[in-house]
Amino acid sequence: MNAETLGELFYAMLRIRLVEERIAELYAEQEMRCPVHLCIGQEAVAVGVCANLSPDDYVLSGHRSHGHYLAKGGNLKTMLAELYGKVTGCAQGKGGSMHLVDLAVGFLGAAPIVGSTIPIAVGAAFGSALRGERRVAVAFFGEGATEEGIFHESLNFAAMKKLPVVFVCENNLYSVYSPLSVRQPAERDLMAIAAGHGVAAERGDGNDVAVVYALAGEAAARARQGGGPTLLELTTYRWREHCGPLYDNDLGYRSEAEFEGWRQRCPVAHAERTLGARGALDEAEIARMHAAIAAEIDDAVAFAKTSPFPKPSALLEHVYAQ
Amino acid sequence: MNAETLGELFYAMLRIRLVEERIAELYAEQEMRCPVHLCIGQEAVAVGVCANLSPDDYVLSGHRSHGHYLAKGGNLKTMLAELYGKVTGCAQGKGGSMHLVDLAVGFLGAAPIVGSTIPIAVGAAFGSALRGERRVAVAFFGEGATEEGIFHESLNFAAMKKLPVVFVCENNLYSVYSPLSVRQPAERDLMAIAAGHGVAAERGDGNDVAVVYALAGEAAARARQGGGPTLLELTTYRWREHCGPLYDNDLGYRSEAEFEGWRQRCPVAHAERTLGARGALDEAEIARMHAAIAAEIDDAVAFAKTSPFPKPSALLEHVYAQ
Amino acid sequence: MTRELGFAQAINEALDLCLANDPAVYVVGLGVPDPKGIFGTTLGLQQKYGSDRVMDMPTSEGGMTGVAIGSALVGMRPIMTHQRVDFALLAIEQIVNQAAKWHYMFGGKMRVPLVIRMIVGRGWGQGPQHSQSLQAWFAHVPGLKVVMPATPYDAKGLLIASVEDDSPVIFIEHRWLHNIVGHVPEGLYRVPIGEARVVREGRDLTIVAMSYMTLEALRAAELLRADGVEAEIVDVRTVRPLDEALILASVRKTGRAVALDTSWKTAGFAAEIVARIAEEVFADLKAPPRRAALPECPTPTTPALANRYYPRAADIAAAARELLGVAPDGALAVPATGLPLDVPDPSFTGPF
Amino acid sequence: MTRELGFAQAINEALDLCLANDPAVYVVGLGVPDPKGIFGTTLGLQQKYGSDRVMDMPTSEGGMTGVAIGSALVGMRPIMTHQRVDFALLAIEQIVNQAAKWHYMFGGKMRVPLVIRMIVGRGWGQGPQHSQSLQAWFAHVPGLKVVMPATPYDAKGLLIASVEDDSPVIFIEHRWLHNIVGHVPEGLYRVPIGEARVVREGRDLTIVAMSYMTLEALRAAELLRADGVEAEIVDVRTVRPLDEALILASVRKTGRAVALDTSWKTAGFAAEIVARIAEEVFADLKAPPRRAALPECPTPTTPALANRYYPRAADIAAAARELLGVAPDGALAVPATGLPLDVPDPSFTGPF
Ligand SMILES: Cc1ncc(C[n+]2csc(CCOP(=O)(O)OP(=O)(O)O)c2C)c(N)n1
Ligand SMILES: Cc1ncc(C[n+]2csc(CCOP(=O)(O)OP(=O)(O)O)c2C)c(N)n1
Ligand SMILES: [Mg+2]
Ligand SMILES: [Mg+2]
């Protein structure tokens, strides 16, 4: 991967990281009154995949969607306003963190019922195919979602119709506090499952943005060329607690050593080191990036905090589409 | 397979065939007032699988369950009485053809929501394992059921817990009038899907009872030895209409040539020919078998027809278990 | 000359016109293009519109509902069909958590113009898993509209209105209506969602009905006429949103009400009808409101019990008489049709 | 000295005793053995009973319900837990078509002694997909029992009774009850399924409540007392089967009724309460019955709207006053607790 591209991906990851960290910091103020599922540690997947998409392409996500939304180009201000429950939020405050949307960039929506947006992504691809377009639709989901039957139903239909879908499984080893061992057989092989459904499949290091970028690039190209769906299983790790701003290794459901191992493999630091080693990034440039992002976030937070709440009359609006 | 065993399997298949034909004949009288899904043409699967089971083992089935029920040793009289809606039926008339049960022989039940008894079979195996037994549980279902997400969820759990389950998929190419091509991708490979879930899998000719018997024997042995679940995909063909007593090739959803090809491969005739060629069955013996079965069916029909209907008070009985 | 059409043909015509009228419309469901065409309702459509717009699907009710939703989000207008309400239970999560809520929870940015046809089975041993009628469930969910036509005219007009609606609509058809015949105009017309209809005027009591129960109510009204009782019948047509005004106006006039249901009594839709009447026109009531609905048990398969399971005209008339304190005319108390009770008409010979 | 216990601990104790008492009992659900133990309700159980009897599961709500049913058919007594009612929608087919009906449809030969705990979310942005309360759905289905305790005492006693029941029981817990404290005896005791309870006596009106709404009703009763109104509160405790007799007796006495619900008004369980009252004690009513329930929209996530979404004591009191034609005591009309309205108590700091 050339340095320029990697630099862009690095910036996008850093931006997500800093946004998430700021959310974590501000959460203690108890003004964001909705569950948040931070993606710190998993930024490379969002960024590496979405860098292959245009605003015309569709993305759907689940409960852990901040990174996907931002990587797809979603508006930061309206995202934060949404977390603050403000009427300027991307869903007018009605959705909160678990229901981000930005139609201008093809982020079609997120919803936290595990697995349930996967067929919706397939449907977006199907609908666009029926309309004679060939937009790619990406479904982001965790490995927990692959335990839901609807995931398999989605593979079957997408393969049968050769739809331009990329299924992106972020395998971060846990569903809340539950390790893989209590949820899937040791012999489980998602690649074989996908292949059995006639879906192309690749596995890769989800903490290496160049790897993700390359795999997603192939998948997107396949989709655009009418080659049908691809499943990507990208291994990664969530750093913070499942839901909320804190660290929770003290709970004992995973070991400090495991966590440390993954922290060493930080996707943002990894890209930073690679760029540094290639002489494409220096301390000053990094500082400038941090500053620029911080300023952008300050702005967005101010926007969110100063925005008004929805009016009481909004309660009964939007129940039915007019 | 030795001639004695094959002879027994032949008799069991012939019996199912003749029962189904009698039902088809009597159905026109409009006294059996419930949907019936006949298994004529598919008898080898039911018989070859159940011959490996003891009455302690469990079987669950779906809408097309007559053959499974009879092969497992289910009572013919109470089955026919059930189809006639009589209080002497195996479900006191409340279930009908789609809800057969015979606990004495481990036929735990059948229900016609496609795929829904698959996890129930897994649960029977799981429950029996929790109780320290090692009974085998068999789930019979059509290939349509493998399109339901719950099928995949069932594989995952059975594999994770290494449960003694045999998943028996009767692939008869159609779901009602819908061919495989409108339901599954051409590349679909159920063996790979099972393998991806960590479930052993075999495919075989479902119209050759010896093949079915051998495959199911291995699967049952694996289950009993703690080797976990197996999926069998057995190719076969339904002769009559999806639901009801008639032939329906005239509707045009499948060709007469296709049907004829499969009729040539009749599982009952195939076993009969094999036995004949080996000198283990002659015309006279076949005639004796037909006569014996006809007498048994006459008896069961008479029992069903002369049995009383449930009393009106039965309507509100059995809503809650006491 | 009025044009007569069967209920199933009326549905078929509505689908045909919607497909012709809007390229965004497509029809999907198990068996949609098959030779029997979902009880005749989808016959000929695939031949006319091709297999991209009139299509079969895998036995994946949950996933395919998600697919339909996703396609609706990007501009399509899917019409999905389930041969039984009971099968749609596999799609409840998608219908209730997703389709019903995307418009609201994204602040109006998304819309799901999806119609889901669900057929209520009855008779000929449909039994516990092929006969449920769960309109009360869907009616409970803000974001869904729920439609239950009783006549061919309404079936066509309401289906067209449903397809043109920008919100998800649950369109419930009763299997025993598919063969009835009635006046159906040609061409596109709409019956507005949310409007009930007085199908028979009367002064003595109001019978509130929906779907197939409207027919039983009409028969009951004939029985009651013999007793000198004139029943007014309101066919709600849409159960959500409910045309409360029309129902209440009728009850204000008659002072008495019986609410019918195709489902169980407890927590069924008739409870909502009775509750609204009690809350809103209490002072006008001359007698307590009543319900006639299914008894509290699953559907038995045997005809011996199924025949005692479904409330019929005679039962409705009996409830009405009780309300009015009228003694029944013995001759008419039990209508002797000679027909078996588990089929809608003699042409119906099973198995479905 | 009475023994005090939290609601979550009461559930925990019930599970513990049931596991100890019957080797057929096992507990299964997403997160059951995790460090937070389903809001504390399952803490310590896996350590005590092992991972065969207290187990996590894959994210496969539908399939795992089938597994639980199958195990129940062969003699086990599973207790399944869903952290939100909303997740259980993936298992509706198994619950409603299968669990509810196997006893009936096999003529009494099979039984499904299965308890499914479902938690109703509320507050702190739980939003449209984490806060539904679908008791009306389950109450509509013959074959299911539906339990909704309001106190730690009832939570324990009803859970034990549910586990010992041979039919499937839906056990609905409100998230805002988990921290409340009350008297809970040691050891195994049962609160019979199907018995309501008068939690406060009064002469002027009957408030029919369930689950968390019982607490709001008690607060409302305090507000009303200031106006000289004495409310009687009936906690139904079980919504199916319903203790109709107790409710009707109370309304007969007071002549007025307000039915509360944790869910939407239309086709909600309060409709059933109002319908039964209207049908059965019409003559004793001094005023039309009323409902206080959720407005007809999905749950908004923003606290600005969520705070206007849930009926509170003041709203219930207002409904009661309207019914009685009493003017409110201005000072008390809006209780000024100073607390944010989207948490049950100050100890609750999100995110769940
Ligand atoms: C159907 C459903 N079941 C359970 C939950 C509760 N839940 C929320 S997030 C989550 C974890 C899912 O794990 P995974 O898919 O691996 O995503 P991750 O959180 O690891 O990113 C669970 C179980 C839910 N939201 N929806
Ligand atoms: C969930 C569900 N969807 C649809 C149906 C309608 N239906 C009944 S049998 C059947 C065919 C299923 O095909 P398959 O599983 O291959 O079994 P076969 O009839 O071929 O034996 C269908 C679709 C149903 N009973 N349940
Ligand atoms: Mg995960
Ligand atoms: Mg088949």
Side-chain angles (χ1 to χ4, degrees):
Chain A
M1 167 170 294
N2 67 47
E4 199 194 11
T5 308
L6 185 58
E8 282 165 15
L9 301 185
F10 168 69
Y11 187 85
M13 289 195 292
L14 182 66
R15 181 165 169 269
I16 294 172
R17 171 69 54 92
L18 296 179
V19 169
E20 292 288 67
E21 286 181 349
R22 185 72 69 88
I23 292 170
E25 215 178 290
L26 294 170
Y27 202 76
E29 297 176 355
Q30 305 214 2
E31 287 177 31
M32 283 180 261
R33 297 178 89 86
C34 63
V36 290
H37 301 80
L38 304 181
C39 69
I40 294 175
Q42 306 189 192
E43 297 89 346
V45 176
V47 167
V49 169
C50 291
N52 289 286
L53 304 177
S54 83
D56 274 354
D57 294 324
Y58 297 124
V59 163
L60 285 113
S61 180
H63 55 288
R64 200 176 303 288
S65 75
H66 298 178
H68 310 139
Y69 172 94
L70 291 173
K72 189 69 176 37
N75 186 307
L76 176 62
K77 285 185 174 180
T78 59
M79 168 179 148
L80 288 184
E82 190 59 36
L83 270 61
Y84 277 90
K86 300 304 178 71
V87 71
T88 53
C90 57
Q92 303 197 10
K94 284 178 169 168
S97 159
M98 303 195 291
H99 296 293
L100 299 181
V101 62
D102 190 341
L103 297 183
V105 297
F107 191 87
L108 262 195
I113 304 294
V114 169
S116 288
T117 53
I118 303 176
I120 296 177
V122 173
F126 182 55
S128 115
L130 286 176
R131 291 157 63 91
E133 311 160 348
R134 191 159 277 290
R135 307 197 194 200
V136 176
V138 174
F140 284 103
F141 49 90
E143 86 294 341
T146 70
E147 296 151 18
E148 294 286 4
I150 208 159
F151 161 70
H152 302 269
E153 297 180 357
S154 302
L155 292 185
N156 181 60
F157 186 74
M160 183 175 80
K161 294 284 181 187
K162 281 215 176 308
L163 294 176
V165 182
V166 186
F167 298 97
V168 181
C169 174
E170 298 188 57
N171 186 344
N172 64 4
L173 313 182
Y174 293 89
S175 166
V176 194
Y177 311 108
S178 307
L180 282 169
S181 59
V182 299
R183 299 181 285 124
Q184 300 178 11
E187 304 80 7
R188 180 79 141 36
D189 178 1
L190 198 55
M191 301 296 95
I193 290 175
H197 280 288
V199 172
E202 295 287 344
R203 188 178 275 139
D205 180 354
N207 278 18
D208 185 337
V209 75
V211 169
V212 175
Y213 181 79
L215 290 176
E218 281 170 41
R222 178 177 298 118
R224 286 187 218 287
Q225 288 153 17
T230 305
L231 170 73
L232 301 179
E233 182 181 9
L234 302 164
T235 317
T236 183
Y237 202 73
R238 152 177 67 74
W239 288 14
R240 305 267 176 144
E241 59 187 341
H242 164 70
C243 179
L246 308 174
Y247 290 96
D248 69 352
N249 300 327
D250 56 302
L251 290 177
Y253 70 102
R254 58 189 197 180
S255 71
E256 200 59 51
E258 179 183 286
F259 172 76
E260 257 319 308
W262 281 96
R263 223 173 48 92
Q264 298 301 327
R265 295 175 51 198
C266 171
V268 187
H270 180 262
E272 187 179 313
R273 276 196 307 273
T274 310
L275 286 165
R278 288 158 70 174
L281 193 65
D282 61 17
E283 292 292 318
E285 178 62 15
I286 294 174
R288 267 192 301 275
M289 287 178 170
H290 275 262
I293 294 169
E296 189 196 356
I297 298 176
D298 288 346
D299 228 42
V301 170
F303 172 79
K305 288 201 171 200
T306 58
S307 285
F309 282 110
K311 291 205 218 73
S313 62
L315 183 66
L316 291 174
E317 283 166 14
H318 303 134
V319 180
Y320 294 99
Q322 304 304 340
Chain B
M1 168 173 287
N2 67 48
E4 199 194 9
T5 307
L6 186 59
E8 283 165 16
L9 301 185
F10 168 71
Y11 187 85
M13 290 194 292
L14 182 66
R15 180 165 170 269
I16 293 171
R17 171 71 53 94
L18 296 179
V19 169
E20 293 287 67
E21 287 180 348
R22 185 72 68 89
I23 290 170
E25 214 178 290
L26 293 170
Y27 202 75
E29 297 176 354
Q30 304 215 4
E31 287 178 32
M32 284 181 258
R33 296 179 90 86
C34 63
V36 291
H37 301 80
L38 303 181
C39 70
I40 294 175
Q42 307 189 189
E43 297 89 345
V45 177
V47 167
V49 169
C50 291
N52 288 286
L53 304 177
S54 84
D56 275 352
D57 294 324
Y58 297 126
V59 163
L60 284 113
S61 181
H63 56 286
R64 199 175 305 287
S65 75
H66 298 177
H68 310 139
Y69 172 96
L70 291 172
K72 188 68 176 45
N75 186 308
L76 176 63
K77 286 186 174 178
T78 60
M79 168 179 146
L80 288 183
E82 190 60 35
L83 270 59
Y84 278 90
K86 299 302 179 72
V87 72
T88 53
C90 57
Q92 302 197 11
K94 285 180 169 168
S97 158
M98 304 196 288
H99 297 293
L100 300 181
V101 61
D102 190 340
L103 297 182
V105 297
F107 191 86
L108 262 194
I113 303 295
V114 169
S116 289
T117 54
I118 303 175
I120 296 177
V122 172
F126 181 55
S128 115
L130 286 176
R131 291 158 62 91
E133 310 161 348
R134 191 159 275 291
R135 306 197 195 201
V136 175
V138 175
F140 284 103
F141 50 90
E143 87 294 340
T146 71
E147 296 151 20
E148 293 286 4
I150 208 158
F151 162 70
H152 302 269
E153 296 179 357
S154 302
L155 292 185
N156 181 60
F157 186 75
M160 183 175 80
K161 295 283 182 189
K162 281 213 176 307
L163 295 175
V165 183
V166 186
F167 298 97
V168 181
C169 173
E170 297 187 58
N171 186 344
N172 64 4
L173 313 184
Y174 293 88
S175 165
V176 194
Y177 309 108
S178 307
L180 282 169
S181 58
V182 299
R183 301 182 284 122
Q184 300 178 11
E187 305 79 7
R188 179 80 143 32
D189 178 0
L190 198 56
M191 301 295 96
I193 291 175
H197 281 289
V199 172
E202 295 287 345
R203 189 178 275 137
D205 180 354
N207 278 17
D208 184 336
V209 75
V211 169
V212 176
Y213 181 79
L215 291 175
E218 281 170 41
R222 178 176 300 118
R224 286 186 219 289
Q225 288 152 18
T230 305
L231 170 73
L232 302 178
E233 182 182 8
L234 302 163
T235 317
T236 183
Y237 202 74
R238 150 176 71 73
W239 289 13
R240 304 267 176 145
E241 59 186 340
H242 165 69
C243 179
L246 308 174
Y247 291 95
D248 68 353
N249 300 328
D250 57 301
L251 290 177
Y253 70 103
R254 56 187 200 182
S255 71
E256 200 58 52
E258 178 183 286
F259 172 78
E260 257 319 309
W262 281 97
R263 222 172 50 90
Q264 297 302 326
R265 295 174 52 197
C266 171
V268 186
H270 179 262
E272 187 180 314
R273 277 196 307 273
T274 309
L275 286 165
R278 287 158 71 174
L281 193 66
D282 60 19
E283 294 291 318
E285 178 62 13
I286 293 173
R288 267 194 299 276
M289 286 178 172
H290 276 261
I293 294 169
E296 189 195 356
I297 297 175
D298 288 345
D299 227 40
V301 170
F303 173 78
K305 288 200 171 203
T306 58
S307 285
F309 281 112
K311 290 205 217 77
S313 63
L315 183 66
L316 292 172
E317 282 166 14
H318 301 134
V319 181
Y320 295 98
Q322 305 303 340
Chain C
M1 209 190 81
T2 79
R3 181 169 170 267
E4 300 269 306
L5 219 60
F7 189 99
Q9 287 164 282
I11 300 268
N12 185 269
E13 195 166 275
L15 294 172
D16 193 345
L17 290 166
C18 290
L19 282 159
N21 193 45
D22 184 349
V25 170
Y26 73 100
V27 177
V28 56
L30 280 173
V32 156
D34 81 28
K36 299 241 175 120
I38 316 284
F39 310 119
T41 60
T42 56
L43 281 179
L45 298 176
Q46 190 176 58
Q47 290 80 335
K48 197 159 167 188
Y49 297 98
S51 59
D52 267 4
R53 299 192 59 203
V54 180
M55 55 181 279
D56 212 317
M57 69 176 207
T59 322
S60 311
E61 287 81 359
M64 290 307 300
T65 304
V67 168
I69 292 170
S71 74
L73 295 177
V74 302
M76 301 301 294
R77 306 187 80 87
I79 306 171
M80 178 168 276
T81 300
H82 298 288
Q83 303 220 16
R84 289 289 178 273
V85 176
D86 316 66
F87 308 160
L89 296 198
L90 288 164
I92 283 291
E93 195 285 316
Q94 288 287 332
I95 296 171
V96 171
N97 284 343
Q98 313 301 341
K101 297 181 174 52
W102 277 57
H103 187 64
Y104 188 86
M105 80 190 178
F106 291 108
K109 293 231 173 89
M110 317 283 284
R111 48 189 61 196
V112 184
L114 163 66
V115 176
I116 309 183
R117 295 174 52 202
M118 299 185 190
I119 296 167
V120 178
R122 172 167 169 173
W124 204 277
Q126 292 302 295
Q129 299 183 334
H130 278 62
S131 61
Q132 290 168 98
S133 186
L134 298 169
Q135 57 274 14
W137 284 20
F138 299 113
H140 187 45
V141 179
L144 296 180
K145 297 185 179 181
V146 189
V147 164
M148 294 186 81
T151 66
Y153 179 93
D154 287 344
K156 179 176 168 186
L158 278 167
L159 184 50
I160 292 169
S162 300
V163 173
E164 292 178 352
D165 200 289
D166 273 347
S167 296
V169 180
I170 308 298
F171 189 92
I172 301 180
E173 295 163 37
H174 197 287
R175 180 71 191 96
W176 279 23
L177 292 174
H178 281 128
N179 294 343
I180 67 160
V181 172
H183 169 58
V184 176
E186 287 187 65
L188 275 172
Y189 66 90
R190 289 100 195 150
V191 170
I193 293 178
E195 288 188 12
R197 190 169 74 95
V198 175
V199 297
R200 183 187 197 280
E201 301 207 9
R203 60 169 189 258
D204 296 321
L205 86 157
T206 300
I207 301 179
V208 184
M210 82 275 273
S211 184
Y212 178 72
M213 291 313 284
T214 304
L215 302 200
E216 291 287 351
L218 284 164
R219 288 179 203 129
E222 289 310 303
L223 299 179
L224 289 167
R225 165 178 286 167
D227 301 323
V229 173
E230 289 302 332
E232 178 146 309
I233 300 174
V234 177
D235 173 5
V236 298
R237 302 200 289 189
T238 302
V239 303
R240 183 182 187 105
L242 186 66
D243 188 350
E244 184 182 271
L246 192 85
I247 298 167
L248 298 182
S250 174
V251 179
R252 256 188 218 106
K253 179 177 87 174
T254 64
R256 295 183 183 85
V258 179
L260 309 185
D261 209 329
T262 53
S263 188
W264 299 294
K265 184 169 172 178
T266 296
F269 195 74
E272 179 63 31
I273 300 284
V274 167
R276 294 217 194 178
I277 290 170
E279 288 171 334
E280 303 299 332
V281 294
F282 182 76
D284 298 302
L285 286 176
K286 298 176 195 152
R290 290 228 167 286
R291 287 177 277 179
L294 297 183
E296 305 290 334
C297 61
T299 311
T301 300
T302 173
L305 298 178
N307 289 340
R308 297 176 179 271
Y309 184 63
Y310 292 102
R312 292 262 179 173
D315 307 296
I316 299 165
R321 283 188 205 102
E322 210 190 301
L323 206 58
L324 287 150
V326 173
D329 177 330
L332 277 165
V334 177
T337 62
L339 266 183
L341 294 175
D342 63 344
V343 289
D345 58 72
S347 76
F348 201 101
T349 56
F352 271 101
Chain D
M1 212 191 75
T2 79
R3 180 170 172 269
E4 301 269 306
L5 219 60
F7 190 99
Q9 287 164 283
I11 300 270
N12 186 269
E13 195 165 277
L15 294 172
D16 192 345
L17 290 165
C18 289
L19 283 159
N21 194 46
D22 184 348
V25 171
Y26 73 102
V27 178
V28 57
L30 280 173
V32 156
D34 81 27
K36 300 239 175 121
I38 315 283
F39 310 118
T41 60
T42 56
L43 282 178
L45 298 176
Q46 190 178 59
Q47 290 80 336
K48 198 160 168 187
Y49 297 99
S51 58
D52 267 3
R53 299 193 59 205
V54 180
M55 54 182 279
D56 213 318
M57 70 177 207
T59 322
S60 312
E61 287 82 357
M64 290 307 300
T65 304
V67 168
I69 293 169
S71 73
L73 295 178
V74 301
M76 301 301 293
R77 308 187 79 87
I79 307 172
M80 179 168 276
T81 299
H82 299 288
Q83 303 221 14
R84 289 290 178 273
V85 176
D86 316 66
F87 309 159
L89 298 198
L90 288 164
I92 284 290
E93 195 286 316
Q94 287 287 331
I95 295 171
V96 171
N97 283 344
Q98 312 302 338
K101 297 181 173 52
W102 276 58
H103 187 64
Y104 188 86
M105 78 190 179
F106 291 108
K109 291 230 173 91
M110 317 284 284
R111 49 188 61 197
V112 183
L114 163 66
V115 177
I116 309 184
R117 294 174 52 203
M118 298 185 192
I119 295 167
V120 179
R122 172 167 168 173
W124 204 277
Q126 291 303 294
Q129 299 182 335
H130 278 64
S131 61
Q132 289 168 99
S133 186
L134 298 170
Q135 58 275 13
W137 284 20
F138 300 113
H140 188 44
V141 179
L144 296 180
K145 297 185 179 181
V146 188
V147 164
M148 293 186 82
T151 67
Y153 179 92
D154 286 344
K156 179 176 167 184
L158 278 167
L159 184 49
I160 292 168
S162 299
V163 173
E164 292 177 354
D165 200 289
D166 273 347
S167 296
V169 180
I170 308 297
F171 189 92
I172 300 180
E173 296 163 35
H174 196 287
R175 180 71 191 95
W176 280 23
L177 291 173
H178 282 129
N179 294 342
I180 67 160
V181 172
H183 170 59
V184 176
E186 288 187 66
L188 276 172
Y189 67 90
R190 289 101 194 148
V191 171
I193 292 177
E195 288 189 11
R197 189 170 75 96
V198 174
V199 296
R200 184 189 196 279
E201 301 209 7
R203 57 166 193 259
D204 297 320
L205 86 157
T206 300
I207 301 178
V208 184
M210 81 276 273
S211 184
Y212 177 71
M213 292 313 284
T214 304
L215 302 200
E216 292 286 351
L218 284 164
R219 287 179 203 129
E222 289 310 304
L223 299 179
L224 289 168
R225 165 178 286 166
D227 302 323
V229 173
E230 289 302 333
E232 178 146 309
I233 300 174
V234 177
D235 173 6
V236 298
R237 301 200 289 191
T238 303
V239 304
R240 184 181 187 107
L242 186 66
D243 188 350
E244 183 181 272
L246 191 84
I247 297 166
L248 298 181
S250 175
V251 179
R252 256 188 218 106
K253 180 176 84 174
T254 63
R256 295 182 184 86
V258 178
L260 309 185
D261 208 327
T262 54
S263 188
W264 299 293
K265 184 169 172 177
T266 297
F269 195 73
E272 180 63 30
I273 300 284
V274 167
R276 294 218 194 177
I277 290 170
E279 288 171 335
E280 302 301 331
V281 294
F282 181 76
D284 297 301
L285 285 177
K286 297 175 194 150
R290 292 228 166 286
R291 289 177 275 179
L294 298 184
E296 304 291 333
C297 61
T299 311
T301 299
T302 173
L305 298 179
N307 289 342
R308 296 175 180 273
Y309 184 64
Y310 292 102
R312 291 261 178 172
D315 307 296
I316 300 165
R321 282 189 206 102
E322 210 190 302
L323 207 58
L324 287 149
V326 172
D329 177 329
L332 276 165
V334 177
T337 62
L339 266 183
L341 295 173
D342 64 342
V343 289
D345 59 72
S347 75
F348 201 100
T349 57
F352 271 102

